[in-house]
Amino acid sequence: MSGVKSKSDGANSAPALAEQKPKLKPCCACPETKKLRDACIIERGEENCRDLIEKHKQCMRDLGFKI
C-alpha cells in the first residue's frame, strides 16, 4: 500500500508546473498592442515606435511570457 501513496505524491507536482505556463501562444497574445505596434512600424519605422514596442512587450510579460 505504500506504493499507492508515492504514486499520488508525484501527481501533486504536475498541476503546479502546468499553471506557470502561459495559456496563449505568443502570436495570439495582446492583439490590441500588437496591431498598433505593427501599424506604427510599417508607417513610421521601428526607431519611431519604441513606446508602442515597449507597451506590447509589457503586455506579453503581464501574461507570463518571458521577453
Side-chain angles (χ1 to χ4, degrees):
M1 289 195 186
S2 63
V4 173
K5 289 181 183 177
S6 65
K7 186 176 180 181
S8 65
D9 290 342
N12 290 340
S13 63
L17 293 175
E19 290 177 24
Q20 294 177 354
K21 293 182 181 180
K23 294 182 180 182
L24 294 172
K25 293 181 181 179
C27 63
C28 301
C30 303
E32 300 85 13
T33 58
K34 182 178 179 180
K35 183 178 179 179
L36 293 172
R37 178 205 65 182
D38 291 350
C40 182
I41 291 171
I42 290 169
E43 294 173 12
R44 300 173 56 206
E46 184 176 337
E47 61 279 355
N48 297 312
C49 301
R50 299 277 181 218
D51 58 330
L52 293 173
I53 293 169
E54 287 305 315
K55 285 180 183 178
H56 183 63
K57 286 182 181 180
Q58 187 59 51
C59 180
M60 299 286 286
R61 287 184 197 109
D62 292 346
L63 291 176
F65 292 97
K66 295 185 180 186
I67 296 183

